[in-house]
Amino acid sequence: MTRLYDSFQPNLYKVYLDIDRGSKIITGQTKISGLAKSTQIAVNQKFLKVSDVLVDDKRVPFTSDDEEEIISLELPQTGETTLTIDYTAPLTDSMMGIYPSYYQVDGQKKQLIGTQFETTAARQAFPCVDEPEAKANFDLAIKFDEKPGETVIANMPEVEVSDGVHYFDRTVKMSTYLIAFAFGEMESKFTTTKSGVKIGVFSTKAHDQKELDFPLDIAKRSIEFYEDFYQTPYPLPHSWQLALPDFSAGAMENWGLVTYREAYLVLDPDNTSLEKKELVATVIAHELAHQWFGDLVTMKWWDDLWLNESFANMMEYVAVDALEPDWHIWELFQTSEASAALQRDATDGVQSVHVQVEKPAEIDAIFDSAIVYAKGSRMLVMVRSLIGDDALRKGLKAYFEAHHYGNASGSDLWDALGQAAGIDLAKIMNTWLEQPGYPVVKASVVDGKLTLSQQQFFIGEGKDVGRLWQIPLNGNYDAVPQIMADREIVLGNYNELCQQAGAPFRLNVGNESHFIVKYDEALLNDILDNSDTLDPISQLQLLQDLRLLAEGRQISYSSVVPLLGRFANSKSNVVNAALYQVAGNLKKFVAPDSTEENDLRKLFDKLSAEQVKRLGWTPKYNESIDDQLTRPYVLNAALYAKNKDSITEAHSLFESNKENLVALPADIRVYVLANEVQNYSSLELLKKLFNDYTQTSDGSYKSDISLALPMTPDKDLLAKIVDQYENSEVIKPQDLRAWYRGVLANDNGQQLAWDWIRNDWQWLEDTVGGDMEFSTFITVTSGIFKTPQRLDEFKKFFEPKINTPGLTREIQMDTKVIESRVSLIEDEKEAVNKAVSLFVFNN
Ligand SMILES: [Zn+2]
């Protein structure tokens, strides 16, 4: 594949933009100086109306190719060249390129202009060689229909304003996709790091000043942490964090000006759940990890996207664990990243972490959060545990020194880290990086000998092509080698090994390697008999591996059901997370309003009743972090169980806070609302919650409403919710997926939501089709469907779309996901429901 950078290598851009919000027109001029290696060159553009192209001040003919997103021209000679390109462009509501965000302050409609250039949208703002390798310096100059009280910010500090044009300091050498700026009325707060980097948080004035405190503190301490951990100074004078009301992704690591969804940055420090605070802290730490990993050193091409994302996704936990050790943030890694990666990576056809891509739509499609983020970070956690923090830091320092202001590929990272640790890391890691999927390691006693074997693990139909991995085993017996590279190994006489160790045999202790274990019956019973002595992560792992093995048809779900009771009174939030994930997976086996569903509700009641009594509905002052994080799981279970006391208690909490629902304790608010909507539904309640939804600036309250409201059993009200899907004044496109999923997951609403997406697919594609979240509407659909009829409808609707750029893999995988669920239910529902009813009878 030839890239534009091969024939033209820019070193300096002078970008001038005049943005008129009134007419929604951008008028621009871009001067690009660089080295032409060929006389035939091209630069990227998308939606630009180019009027003139000058080569070294002489007008030249050019051709625009909208399909290839380029303009091409011929130069008189190769060598140093300056292009001057004049153009206009539309300011569109696509959440890509330069775009407006809409919000209200005291009922007044306002706009904040911001940017989103990753992956290939810088070309919508100015012509450029829009490839990560094409690093250059940028002089940014911005003019806009400015009003008093408005601010404009960018990657670098402003150095001059003249004739209404804001000039920004020249950037360091950087990739085009990391350029950013924003303007409008903004609230802000500042501080400075120990090393003198200016830290700022910006939001619209719809937010209270105090909502900026938490992110400011986390951002400051994150930068300080990374400067120390990477042993490399933060390379820019400032680090701005900006919350944008309309934002397609979660956040974006633009160098020096990171942009976020409002819900992932600003929060009410006095009433936000710990869970949300942890989430916001990890998002900030993730983006700031990128300021080095991704921004200072950038992947050469998008196939190495994992270099950016997998790494930042590990570092967010490393950093937050250092900033807030009491949170035990690695537990969140186990319940979210590990579990997401193990689920998705088990479907045949999944992408590998390192994946070949060329076209823009393909590039957007590789941002598979469970793979490039979750599995990739798990891979690096394996590396970290193999080489240790000292070698990790030493290797990183060398990596930054060798590639700063430049680009790197995966092998550069393995070289740097491997050299620091003195091992051949690439040999081990390439088996994880280049191959999709992961192994199940079977541990069994054969003829008295403890034997291990590896084989790819699938949920659903999978074609075994004999893949092998180099597996860090982390066994608790001395006879276990550090790495298992062969298909099968024999460890020795089991009885002797067991006696020596004095404990049941276990692999993957700490759950840091990306594989699951299937113990034979005797070994498993040995572990289960001693499960009380296991630490919480090991208990989570036990439940999680059993659930996956059941999903993969290697054991029956009915054999897992009887085990649930022994974990029900755990005080650990991770054990409860795993427990209710298993229990939640039993819901697919029951039909609405059936005896089986009734039994399952009773099972949930038996699991949760004691815990609800112990923890209560209202958070207590000074309670443990585990209690704070466990309460949501058990309250949710109690509501599914239709526990009468819980329904009454939640209702009375609602009644006494009716006038100011946002003031309900944030940890339990969503359950209070869910209870009200499920058991006391009315049109009045719907109107009230929709009204609060559009008025509040509290992101977590908004998200509570979007989760709770679609739970109403009332079909008329559900139809009213679906009616708002395309009304961006109520539901912003960035938030639509949650509303769609909510109604689709509701037995009384599924038909409505499913009809909507099929009828209005074109609207959806026009509205969010340009960004990387689009395909996840298909993912959430496949996460819910479970009947042969829905499977048929799904295929009928999506199969004709299979060649849509960026959707092919998703449609193939999601079809498989529904197929395997349908057949699992068909084969096992009888046995599972029998086990549930026995559980209820016996407990
Ligand atoms: Zn990232």
Side-chain angles (χ1 to χ4, degrees):
M1 177 77 186
T2 59
R3 308 210 203 282
L4 304 186
Y5 185 68
D6 295 336
S7 42
F8 181 49
Q9 306 186 337
N11 51 53
L12 175 67
Y13 287 79
K14 294 187 175 198
V15 178
Y16 168 82
L17 295 163
D18 183 350
I19 300 159
D20 190 301
R21 290 167 290 189
S23 64
K24 295 201 147 199
I25 297 282
I26 302 162
T27 310
Q29 184 186 70
T30 301
K31 275 184 199 285
I32 315 173
S33 310
L35 179 66
K37 299 224 157 190
S38 151
T39 53
Q40 294 290 336
I41 65 162
V43 293
N44 289 114
Q45 67 83 21
K46 190 177 180 186
F47 307 139
L48 303 188
K49 233 163 89 186
V50 175
S51 53
D52 278 311
V53 178
L54 281 70
V55 173
D56 298 327
D57 298 323
K58 275 195 214 69
R59 181 165 298 155
V60 296
F62 63 92
T63 48
S64 277
D65 183 339
D66 291 338
E67 180 81 8
E68 291 295 317
E69 303 183 358
I70 53 172
I71 42 177
S72 334
L73 52 132
E74 197 177 332
L75 302 175
Q77 73 265 322
T78 57
E80 288 297 330
T81 302
T82 299
L83 307 180
T84 306
I85 302 170
D86 289 291
Y87 62 96
T88 59
L91 185 63
T92 57
D93 294 341
S94 60
M95 294 190 277
M96 295 304 278
I98 304 171
Y99 71 91
S101 278
Y102 300 99
Y103 66 101
Q104 293 191 9
V105 180
D106 303 328
Q108 249 203 312
K109 289 184 182 169
K110 308 241 176 195
Q111 283 185 31
L112 181 64
I113 303 293
T115 56
Q116 170 63 33
F117 290 169
E118 193 182 24
T119 48
T120 55
R123 65 188 68 171
Q124 296 183 32
F126 54 90
C128 54
V129 177
D130 203 7
E131 296 167 358
E133 194 180 1
K135 288 196 174 187
N137 302 103
F138 293 82
D139 288 346
L140 205 56
I142 297 170
K143 189 173 184 242
F144 59 104
D145 45 348
E146 193 169 350
K147 296 184 196 84
E150 293 190 309
T151 316
V152 50
I153 53 177
N155 305 86
M156 295 292 285
E158 184 178 287
V159 282
E160 195 197 337
V161 190
S162 83
D163 293 334
V165 184
H166 297 257
Y167 295 89
F168 293 89
D169 212 354
R170 180 165 296 175
T171 70
V172 293
K173 275 190 89 178
M174 62 187 287
S175 304
T176 46
Y177 79 94
L178 295 167
I179 296 289
F181 59 85
F183 57 83
E185 288 175 11
M186 286 181 241
E187 191 103 73
S188 54
K189 263 192 186 174
F190 303 94
T191 184
T192 307
T193 65
K194 282 188 279 201
S195 62
V197 180
K198 216 171 164 198
I199 307 291
V201 175
F202 297 77
S203 74
T204 71
K205 293 194 171 177
H207 296 277
D208 197 284
Q209 274 269 334
K210 72 174 179 182
E211 293 177 43
L212 279 50
D213 291 339
F214 179 82
L216 188 68
D217 172 59
I218 295 289
K220 170 181 181 277
R221 292 194 292 135
S222 294
I223 295 277
E224 288 173 346
F225 171 79
Y226 290 129
E227 287 198 315
D228 175 57
F229 192 89
Y230 295 149
Q231 298 168 69
T232 305
Y234 178 77
L236 306 180
H238 71 218
S239 170
W240 296 160
Q241 329 299 318
L242 165 66
L244 287 171
D246 290 284
F247 198 77
S248 156
M252 175 61 210
E253 68 265 23
N254 316 299
W255 214 358
L257 172 52
V258 182
T259 45
Y260 300 80
R261 251 179 204 240
E262 292 187 317
Y264 290 161
L265 187 70
V266 289
L267 58 82
D268 177 357
D270 301 323
N271 189 24
T272 295
S273 68
L274 177 60
E275 193 193 354
K276 270 272 152 53
K277 284 185 179 168
E278 288 183 349
L279 178 68
V280 168
T282 53
V283 172
I284 296 171
H286 176 108
E287 302 310 324
L288 295 179
H290 275 315
Q291 305 300 296
W292 288 261
F293 225 98
D295 296 4
L296 179 64
V297 179
T298 311
M299 74 243 142
K300 214 176 166 91
W301 181 248
W302 296 105
D303 64 326
D304 270 323
L305 174 72
W306 71 273
L307 259 185
N308 280 10
E309 297 307 343
S310 308
F311 196 84
N313 223 52
M314 171 178 76
M315 286 311 295
E316 67 186 68
Y317 292 91
V318 176
V320 172
D321 194 37
L323 304 186
E324 298 289 344
D326 293 348
W327 289 356
H328 300 291
I329 200 74
W330 284 104
E331 297 188 345
L332 179 67
F333 184 83
Q334 291 291 349
T335 55
S336 59
E337 317 285 346
S339 127
L342 289 166
Q343 182 75 34
R344 178 135 170 123
D345 203 22
T347 304
D348 200 12
V350 69
Q351 72 187 44
S352 51
V353 173
H354 178 235
V355 61
Q356 293 304 328
V357 278
E358 290 304 338
K359 299 266 179 220
E362 292 170 8
I363 299 172
D364 284 347
I366 62 173
F367 281 75
D368 184 330
S369 62
I371 300 302
V372 174
Y373 292 72
K375 179 185 179 181
S377 58
R378 224 162 131 67
M379 253 170 47
L380 290 168
V381 166
M382 279 198 288
V383 169
R384 186 181 179 218
S385 97
L386 270 174
I387 69 174
D389 262 2
D390 286 344
L392 177 66
R393 295 172 68 165
K394 197 171 139 203
L396 285 177
K397 186 170 195 258
Y399 175 81
F400 290 131
E401 268 170 14
H403 306 287
H404 61 181
Y405 305 109
N407 300 77
S409 61
S411 58
D412 294 321
L413 181 68
W414 301 143
D415 286 352
L417 298 182
Q419 237 162 48
I423 58 171
D424 186 354
L425 207 50
K427 199 172 120 202
I428 300 169
M429 293 317 296
N430 282 338
T431 64
W432 299 97
L433 185 66
E434 307 291 346
Q435 305 189 99
Y438 63 91
V440 51
V441 172
K442 291 185 182 154
S444 39
V445 179
V446 185
D447 300 331
K449 294 205 167 67
L450 186 53
T451 308
L452 306 182
S453 65
Q454 62 161 305
Q455 190 173 27
Q456 183 166 4
F457 176 70
F458 293 109
I459 295 176
E461 289 284 308
K463 189 164 173 245
D464 197 326
V465 294
R467 293 190 176 103
L468 283 179
W469 285 265
Q470 300 231 352
I471 309 172
L473 286 172
N474 295 323
N476 67 338
Y477 285 12
D478 291 341
V480 179
Q482 192 185 25
I483 301 283
M484 172 169 174
D486 298 325
R487 183 164 305 283
E488 187 176 295
I489 52 175
V490 178
L491 299 180
N493 183 293
Y494 171 66
N495 284 334
E496 283 169 22
L497 292 173
C498 183
Q499 214 147 39
Q500 272 167 20
F505 177 64
R506 290 182 56 229
L507 289 172
N508 204 6
V509 175
N511 203 28
E512 290 188 328
S513 292
H514 189 53
F515 71 96
I516 61 171
V517 191
K518 185 184 180 191
Y519 299 99
D520 72 14
E521 206 184 329
L523 293 173
L524 178 64
N525 284 336
D526 214 9
I527 296 172
L528 285 170
D529 289 344
N530 292 279
S531 63
D532 293 352
T533 63
L534 295 176
D535 60 90
I537 296 286
S538 301
Q539 293 186 354
L540 159 131
Q541 178 183 26
L542 189 59
L543 284 166
Q544 187 162 266
D545 284 11
L546 289 172
R547 181 184 71 75
L548 288 160
L549 290 169
E551 289 284 325
R553 313 291 286 272
Q554 304 220 6
I555 60 171
S556 166
Y557 256 113
S558 58
S559 71
V560 185
V561 173
L563 307 176
L564 299 179
R566 67 176 83 196
F567 299 98
N569 288 322
S570 168
K571 289 184 176 167
S572 153
N573 80 83
V574 289
V575 176
N576 281 289
L579 172 71
Y580 286 106
Q581 197 183 15
V582 176
N585 264 283
L586 303 177
K587 292 180 186 171
K588 59 174 166 272
F589 294 103
V590 301
D593 304 317
S594 58
T595 344
E596 289 80 14
E597 189 188 48
N598 201 30
D599 278 348
L600 187 60
R601 290 188 197 275
K602 282 185 194 151
L603 175 135
F604 270 74
D605 200 34
K606 293 199 184 281
L607 291 178
S608 63
E610 289 273 319
Q611 296 265 41
V612 176
K613 244 182 241 155
R614 178 175 77 86
L615 296 166
W617 265 81
T618 314
K620 298 180 187 77
Y621 176 71
N622 241 349
E623 66 188 346
S624 76
I625 282 180
D626 266 315
D627 284 354
Q628 287 178 58
L629 294 175
T630 296
R631 180 177 292 103
Y633 294 114
V634 300
L635 296 188
N636 195 28
L639 290 185
Y640 177 74
K642 295 191 180 293
N643 178 289
K644 285 213 168 59
D645 294 341
S646 276
I647 291 175
T648 313
E649 174 119 28
H651 181 54
S652 81
L653 279 164
F654 179 88
E655 285 294 320
S656 48
N657 289 276
K658 216 173 179 172
E659 303 313 316
N660 192 18
L661 291 170
V662 69
L664 275 163
D667 306 72
I668 59 155
R669 190 172 47 212
V670 68
Y671 304 107
V672 174
L673 297 181
N675 178 61
E676 204 61 22
V677 166
Q678 280 178 319
N679 300 307
Y680 306 88
S681 198
S682 70
L683 180 60
E684 190 199 347
L685 178 64
L686 175 112
K687 283 184 172 163
K688 179 178 172 47
L689 290 179
F690 258 136
N691 185 55
D692 278 13
Y693 184 78
T694 52
Q695 297 303 315
T696 185
S697 66
D698 186 316
S700 54
Y701 181 41
K702 260 177 121 78
S703 126
D704 291 348
I705 295 172
S706 71
L707 291 172
L709 202 43
M711 291 181 178
T712 174
D714 186 323
K715 283 190 180 166
D716 292 339
L717 298 186
L718 286 162
K720 287 196 188 330
I721 295 172
V722 175
D723 281 346
Q724 298 300 327
Y725 279 3
E726 293 169 34
N727 179 2
S728 64
E729 303 261 310
V730 178
I731 299 176
K732 284 174 174 285
Q734 66 167 13
D735 300 318
L736 178 56
R737 198 185 51 210
W739 287 96
Y740 166 68
R741 191 194 176 283
V743 178
L744 195 76
N746 182 330
D747 289 326
N748 292 328
Q750 188 168 93
Q751 192 66 44
L752 288 165
W754 181 223
D755 287 344
W756 169 78
I757 204 167
R758 284 182 295 176
N759 291 331
D760 288 13
W761 183 256
Q762 191 58 48
W763 175 87
L764 189 68
E765 189 165 359
D766 294 343
T767 310
V768 299
D771 70 60
M772 43 186 115
E773 303 282 296
F774 181 41
S775 68
T776 59
F777 278 86
I778 313 175
T779 324
V780 300
T781 307
S782 76
I784 287 164
F785 283 179
K786 59 172 196 174
T787 65
Q789 184 203 337
R790 290 293 188 226
L791 172 63
D792 281 348
E793 293 169 358
F794 183 92
K795 282 188 185 165
K796 216 165 133 201
F797 183 68
F798 284 113
E799 269 170 7
K801 298 179 172 47
I802 202 140
N803 291 322
T804 313
L807 297 188
T808 309
R809 186 193 298 279
E810 199 55 53
I811 293 173
Q812 282 167 347
M813 278 185 69
D814 289 340
T815 305
K816 224 171 254 185
V817 164
I818 306 172
E819 274 169 355
S820 69
R821 189 179 299 121
V822 167
S823 89
L824 172 72
I825 293 169
E826 195 53 43
D827 293 351
E828 297 221 350
K829 68 176 176 211
E830 220 166 297
V832 172
N833 290 328
K834 205 165 149 196
V836 169
S837 116
L838 258 172
F839 182 98
V840 172
F841 183 75
N842 286 334
N843 284 272

